[in-house]
Amino acid sequence: MGRGNATDTRAPKTRIKAGTLKAAIEDVIDIVESRNTIPILCFVLLRVQKQRITLTATDLDCWAVRDCASDDRDGPGSNDWLARIRDFAVALPAKALKDLLAEFDGDAMVTIEAPADIDAKWSGRITIKAGRASFKLQALPVADFPDVAGVEVEFGFELPCSALADSLAGVKHAISTEETRYYLNGVYLHPVDLEVRFAATDGHRLARWTLDGPDGAASFPPVIVARKTVGIVDKLLASAIKAADRDGSPPEVLIEADGAGRLLRFAMRASDGGEVELIAKTIDGQFPDYTRVIPVEAPHRAILDKAILAEAVKRVAVLVSDKSRCVKAIFSENMLTLMGVSAELGEATEEVPCEYLGPDLTFGLDSKYWRQALAAIASDKIAMAFVGAYDAENVRPVRVAGWSDNAETPTLLQVLMPVRV
């Protein structure tokens, strides 16, 4: 791709269906920040090589790399087309490229063409055509685009995409947003004996998901997966699962780490049969020993219908202040009474039948955290387990889990800390 190469008369260009390229850029664009002091980080690297197109985006903490096939080999006159084109790479504005592709029909053929003298230090305008429409996008030098972080893989294991998606969905609501305790701003992925566990906490609640560990998981280093990484992986998994629903083959995700656990790599299939990988830095910090807040002995247990409880909490919470969000829970024999009180708005009370034969208990829970905990549980019934009396001097955690076949379901375990009422 040297500038002024008179011996190569082929044009640096490619063609691809708009829908294919749009799906590819949607897989990487969530990494791109809308405002950035480094201009190149608002761009996506598009590389054409051997009739395949690779899109790369980064924020210097994550790199997403998406591969898809071009349509250079397809259509009438493809042999002549191939003879007249050559490989190239260009950095294009990510949002503008996505918005442009969204205006085309998915089956429209898009041609991307660069000037003949393009090289790694070239900047200028790239031509994009579809039908009778023609656009020119400003490009920056490829040499300015940050290299993809290389993961010197020492550990790795594979999981079904659905298993990882369920694990993240079960705990991500408990990720802290408090930046001062940065080590809580992610999901703690760690092996325990023959299991793999995913945990998140913000100090007021805890969610832990447990899986049987696949081959290679036992030696995997404990890592904290950053909140943004969790969101991007979640989206990629959903795309992979949707593609599997169409062709019937269950997809798997490969999870790899370097020896120090500072870099992670997630690799899986993409929706169009291509490949997508996410390389991400982990959070450098010590996740707390969350097991200390899980009540091991909780002799008192209430069994409730999840949907009925969630709707009741939602209704009562209408009359509590936005700041406290506190709903009072009063447990008596086979009955839960919910109360919400606000000096400005009034008072709400609702009774919810339950299976409970323990001592009378009264405590407050954050209504938002309570509802999010319930939403993460798949079973129709839930179990709330209590240590004992609750008062200003005894703020004891409440254990929440799914309930099925007269037993707690161990996959997802959650803990809520009571609040003062």
Side-chain angles (χ1 to χ4, degrees):
M1 289 198 306
R3 187 186 297 271
N5 188 348
T7 62
D8 193 346
T9 60
R10 296 176 300 165
K13 63 181 182 178
T14 187
R15 63 187 182 191
I16 185 173
K17 288 182 179 178
T20 304
L21 189 56
K22 180 174 178 288
I25 196 170
E26 285 180 343
D27 281 345
V28 305
I29 199 167
D30 285 350
I31 288 181
V32 179
E33 300 289 351
S34 57
R35 295 180 180 178
N36 209 303
T37 56
I38 306 175
I40 195 67
L41 297 185
C42 297
F43 282 58
V44 61
L45 176 63
L46 184 149
R47 187 177 298 278
V48 181
Q49 193 169 27
K50 297 180 179 179
Q51 290 80 60
R52 298 200 70 82
I53 295 176
T54 302
L55 293 174
T56 305
T58 184
D59 63 359
L60 299 181
D61 288 322
C62 295
W63 286 260
V65 183
R66 173 66 150 83
D67 165 82
C68 60
S70 74
D71 286 290
D72 290 326
R73 289 186 177 275
D74 303 321
S78 59
N79 289 335
D80 181 57
W81 173 265
L82 286 171
R84 293 187 289 110
I85 64 172
R86 62 182 171 89
D87 296 342
F88 68 100
V90 64
L92 295 174
K95 186 179 184 301
L97 179 59
K98 177 191 173 185
D99 292 346
L100 183 59
L101 293 169
E103 297 301 320
F104 299 137
D105 182 89
D107 291 327
M109 192 65 71
V110 173
T111 300
I112 303 173
E113 183 173 1
D117 62 347
I118 188 173
D119 63 13
K121 297 182 179 181
W122 176 89
S123 64
R125 294 188 175 183
I126 297 294
T127 302
I128 298 178
K129 296 180 180 179
R132 296 181 180 180
S134 179
F135 305 85
K136 291 186 181 294
L137 285 184
Q138 184 65 38
L140 292 182
V142 171
D144 293 347
F145 197 88
D147 291 335
V148 176
V151 181
E152 297 182 5
V153 175
E154 291 193 28
F155 307 99
F157 61 91
E158 285 186 311
L159 282 177
C161 287
S162 57
L164 181 57
D166 290 343
S167 303
L168 297 178
V171 304
K172 64 183 181 181
H173 62 277
I175 296 174
S176 174
T177 57
E178 185 183 338
E179 297 300 331
T180 55
R181 294 194 292 176
Y182 64 93
Y183 48 86
L184 298 182
N185 295 160
V187 171
Y188 185 43
L189 188 166
H190 57 298
V192 177
D193 298 327
L194 298 178
E195 299 175 337
V196 175
R197 293 181 180 176
F198 301 79
T201 182
D202 60 7
H204 305 289
R205 53 181 169 170
L206 164 72
R208 185 192 71 189
W209 189 283
T210 302
L211 289 176
D212 291 335
D215 291 343
S219 58
F220 203 81
V223 294
I224 305 174
V225 187
R227 184 196 308 113
K228 183 174 180 178
T229 304
V230 169
I232 295 169
V233 170
D234 206 29
K235 180 180 175 182
L236 296 178
L237 291 168
S239 180
I241 293 169
K242 187 182 296 184
D245 290 341
R246 290 195 291 267
D247 61 25
S249 57
E252 292 202 328
V253 53
L254 174 63
I255 307 173
E256 296 177 320
D258 62 1
R262 293 193 177 94
L263 283 175
L264 289 177
R265 177 178 178 268
F266 300 86
M268 68 197 84
R269 61 186 292 186
S271 57
D272 57 8
E275 298 290 333
V276 59
E277 66 174 323
L278 179 69
I279 297 171
K281 296 177 182 178
T282 58
I283 293 177
D284 184 14
Q286 182 68 42
F287 202 82
D289 181 9
Y290 63 87
T291 60
R292 293 184 300 174
V293 303
I294 300 175
V296 177
E297 296 293 332
H300 311 301
R301 179 184 289 114
I303 311 301
L304 302 102
D305 182 286
K306 183 185 72 172
I308 292 175
L309 176 59
E311 288 299 318
V313 173
K314 180 180 179 182
R315 283 189 289 269
V316 171
V318 170
L319 294 188
V320 300
S321 70
D322 293 336
K323 185 177 181 179
S324 72
R325 300 196 302 249
C326 176
V327 168
K328 182 187 291 187
I330 305 169
F331 281 93
S332 56
E333 184 175 341
N334 292 327
M335 186 63 66
L336 164 62
T337 302
L338 300 174
M339 294 185 63
V341 179
S342 168
E344 297 81 14
L345 300 175
E347 180 178 314
T349 303
E350 183 164 346
E351 292 183 338
V352 180
C354 64
E355 299 176 32
Y356 179 70
L357 297 175
D360 291 355
L361 296 175
T362 299
F363 53 85
L365 289 176
D366 185 301
S367 58
K368 177 182 176 182
Y369 294 168
W370 200 354
R371 289 172 57 202
Q372 288 180 335
L374 296 175
I377 298 173
S379 56
D380 294 332
K381 290 188 174 183
I382 64 109
M384 297 184 66
F386 320 105
V387 175
Y390 292 84
D391 53 44
E393 287 73 35
N394 294 287
V395 182
R396 294 166 174 165
V398 176
R399 195 172 71 206
V400 183
W403 183 262
S404 179
D405 297 328
N406 296 318
E408 284 188 6
T409 54
T411 303
L412 175 60
L413 178 66
Q414 301 185 79
V415 174
L416 298 175
M417 293 300 296
V419 295
R420 184 173 297 178
V421 293

